[in-house]
Amino acid sequence: MTDPFREAQPEKPAPKAVISRVSLYLRQLENLQRFGHKTISSSQLGSLLGINDAQVRKDLAHFGPFGHPGIGYQIEELIPILRGILGIDRVWKTALIGLGNLGRALLRYRGFRGRGFQVIALFDTDPKKIGQTHAGLTVHSLQELPTVAAELGIQLAILTVPAEVAQAVADLAITSGIQGILNFAPAPLNLPETTALVSVDLSTQLEQLAYKVLTAHAGQIPPHE
Amino acid sequence: MTDPFREAQPEKPAPKAVISRVSLYLRQLENLQRFGHKTISSSQLGSLLGINDAQVRKDLAHFGPFGHPGIGYQIEELIPILRGILGIDRVWKTALIGLGNLGRALLRYRGFRGRGFQVIALFDTDPKKIGQTHAGLTVHSLQELPTVAAELGIQLAILTVPAEVAQAVADLAITSGIQGILNFAPAPLNLPETTALVSVDLSTQLEQLAYKVLTAHAGQIPPHE
């Protein structure tokens, strides 16, 4: 018996652009499944994203032979494979650092849980916030990060701290054994190569919107997301 | 005398994937400028993003001949051109709808102003929130959106409302003359083609992080953002 997830593991990491497109494919497939679709061809999937069919086939072929000649991709089969490739088929023990406005908002964001990101500890440096309870969790002092992270086996950290302290907080997270950081602070972070970093870039999203309005304005209407 | 921004205007909208990469190019160029770089070749710019040099040249050639043979791109020259292409070289009058946790957090987000998104009006349906002041602006009742939008010439709306009301609020924004929506509600929106829509997809960002940690774990370390 073959395990499709194991088969799907690439020999070496796929290029970043491929992984970004895998996320887009997954999102489209989840939408299609919601609307009751069972199969999709590479050209249909590509056309939903403005990508040509050869690119779709090439991207997915990085991970294994998933297409069925004459049928296309089986949506129900492909979704768990892509979730496995991306690593969102498991639970990631996550700390949220910085209980400001954005941190508290993200605690309520439903998408984290759906992607396996389970926030199990909160940290702040503000004496007024330490000891408070949010979403059933008590806010620890940031100084306790190394001991709490070791005790609970925390793997990831969401950083919602001011830009000026982001680097120092990230450094502490790394020495506490945290393997990946989702950075919402509007500051570039300089991290060792062994730490995964994703910075949430609201600027890019704003640029996409400005461009769309601009072109719609000129009577040139780009397609929706 | 030629106006490089006018020259840079494409005949028809570039494909969405190109525009996404223009954002990425701009971010890299801004970083390079911060570190004092003056020029960059297409292969250097591509390598920062895991894209090949031919793709970089092809993408930018959509908008005009910006490269200098033997030198590459002049960073100082290219940044304002790309900002012009994306439409972030001007002020966009923006309403923020939904003063919950996420809405209030975004009001403080510095990136909006840097991209020309000026929030000039706030709206909510909660009687307790209407009349409150945040960031120097008074919260209006959502019912006032059509009149306030017309009066102030509001062009864009940031939607930070619960998923279940997102479609109705978006519909009201459109009948109020709003041309573009930045949707943070975890709900797909069905909008007329004349309205620009960008949905901020935290899920994709989470997937990228999970993938990076997963591959770093296997001794396979993908490059940073």
Side-chain angles (χ1 to χ4, degrees), chain B residues 3 6 10 15 31 42 64 86 90 96 108 145 150 165 168 170 185 189 191 195:
Chain B
D3 172 344
R6 282 294 138 210
N31 282 334
S42 53
L86 293 170
R90 61 202 67 197
L96 188 141
R108 298 191 189 175
L145 180 58
V165 299
L189 296 181
L191 303 185
T195 306

Side-chain angles (χ1 to χ4, degrees), chain A residues 23 27 115 195 204 207 224, chain B residues 23 27 115 195 204 207:
Chain A
S23 276
R27 197 81 56 260
R115 258 55 195 162
T195 307
T204 295
E207 287 161 6
H224 279 170
Chain B
S23 277
R27 198 81 57 258
R115 258 57 195 159
T195 306
T204 295
E207 288 161 6

Side-chain angles (χ1 to χ4, degrees), chain B:
Chain B
M1 226 173 71
T2 58
D3 172 344
F5 172 58
R6 282 294 138 210
E7 276 187 1
Q9 286 290 3
E11 296 268 311
K12 55 176 186 163
K16 190 184 161 198
V18 173
I19 294 303
S20 295
R21 285 193 296 268
V22 169
S23 277
L24 298 178
Y25 300 148
L26 176 59
R27 198 81 57 258
Q28 291 297 334
L29 293 168
E30 288 172 340
N31 282 334
L32 289 163
Q33 191 178 48
R34 217 164 285 140
F35 286 96
H37 294 273
K38 301 291 183 201
T39 63
I40 189 165
S41 69
S42 53
S43 65
Q44 287 169 325
L45 185 53
S47 74
L48 290 171
L49 295 160
I51 296 171
N52 71 47
D53 57 330
Q55 181 76 70
V56 173
R57 286 194 300 273
K58 192 180 158 203
D59 285 345
L60 295 177
H62 264 100
F63 307 101
F66 305 131
H68 301 276
I71 297 172
Y73 299 101
Q74 301 274 11
I75 291 170
E76 196 177 7
E77 181 186 299
L78 196 51
I79 287 174
I81 292 172
L82 298 189
R83 291 180 62 93
I85 289 168
L86 293 170
I88 56 165
D89 58 343
R90 61 202 67 197
V91 169
W92 294 100
K93 293 182 181 175
T94 304
L96 188 141
I97 307 177
L99 272 291
N101 241 331
L102 184 60
R104 294 200 307 275
L106 289 174
L107 254 186
R108 298 191 189 175
Y109 175 65
R110 301 182 212 171
F112 284 121
R113 188 153 308 195
R115 258 57 195 159
F117 287 66
Q118 200 181 358
V119 177
I120 60 169
L122 309 178
F123 298 90
D124 206 295
T125 54
D126 181 348
K128 278 177 281 183
K129 286 179 184 155
I130 296 164
Q132 282 183 353
T133 301
H134 294 279
L137 299 168
T138 303
V139 180
H140 294 279
S141 160
L142 184 62
Q143 292 179 342
E144 297 177 74
L145 180 58
T147 51
V148 175
E151 198 180 305
L152 301 181
I154 292 173
Q155 299 162 293
L156 303 181
I158 299 168
L159 250 63
T160 43
V161 300
E164 52 275 21
V165 299
Q167 181 67 53
V169 174
D171 292 343
L172 180 64
I174 292 163
T175 59
S176 304
I178 281 165
Q179 298 155 20
I181 290 176
L182 183 62
N183 175 39
F184 284 91
L189 296 181
N190 199 348
L191 303 185
E193 288 210 336
T194 45
T195 306
L197 170 65
V198 167
S199 293
V200 173
D201 190 352
L202 286 173
S203 294
T204 295
Q205 311 274 13
L206 292 173
E207 288 161 6
Q208 302 302 308
L209 181 63
Y211 177 77
K212 286 183 181 187
V213 175
L214 202 65
T215 48
H217 236 198
Q220 300 158 336
I221 301 150
H224 281 168
E225 294 278 271

Side-chain angles (χ1 to χ4, degrees), chain A residues 182-186 198-203 205, chain B residues 109 200-202 205-206 225:
Chain A
L182 184 62
N183 176 39
F184 284 91
V198 167
S199 293
V200 172
D201 190 352
L202 286 173
S203 294
Q205 310 275 11
Chain B
Y109 175 65
V200 173
D201 190 352
L202 286 173
Q205 311 274 13
L206 292 173
E225 294 278 271

Side-chain angles (χ1 to χ4, degrees), chain A residues 68-85:
Chain A
H68 301 276
I71 298 172
Y73 299 102
Q74 302 274 13
I75 292 170
E76 197 178 4
E77 181 186 298
L78 195 51
I79 287 174
I81 292 171
L82 298 189
R83 291 181 61 94
I85 289 168

Side-chain angles (χ1 to χ4, degrees), chain A residues 172-191:
Chain A
L172 180 63
I174 291 164
T175 58
S176 305
I178 282 166
Q179 299 155 19
I181 290 177
L182 184 62
N183 176 39
F184 284 91
L189 296 181
N190 199 347
L191 303 185

Side-chain angles (χ1 to χ4, degrees), chain A residues 91-97 99 107 112-113 116-123 134-140 145 147-158 178:
Chain A
V91 170
W92 294 99
K93 292 182 182 176
T94 304
L96 189 141
I97 306 177
L99 271 292
L107 253 186
F112 284 121
R113 187 150 311 193
F117 287 66
Q118 199 181 358
V119 177
I120 60 169
L122 309 177
F123 297 90
H134 294 278
L137 298 168
T138 303
V139 181
H140 294 278
L145 180 59
T147 50
V148 175
E151 198 179 305
L152 300 181
I154 293 172
Q155 299 161 293
L156 303 180
I158 299 168
I178 282 166

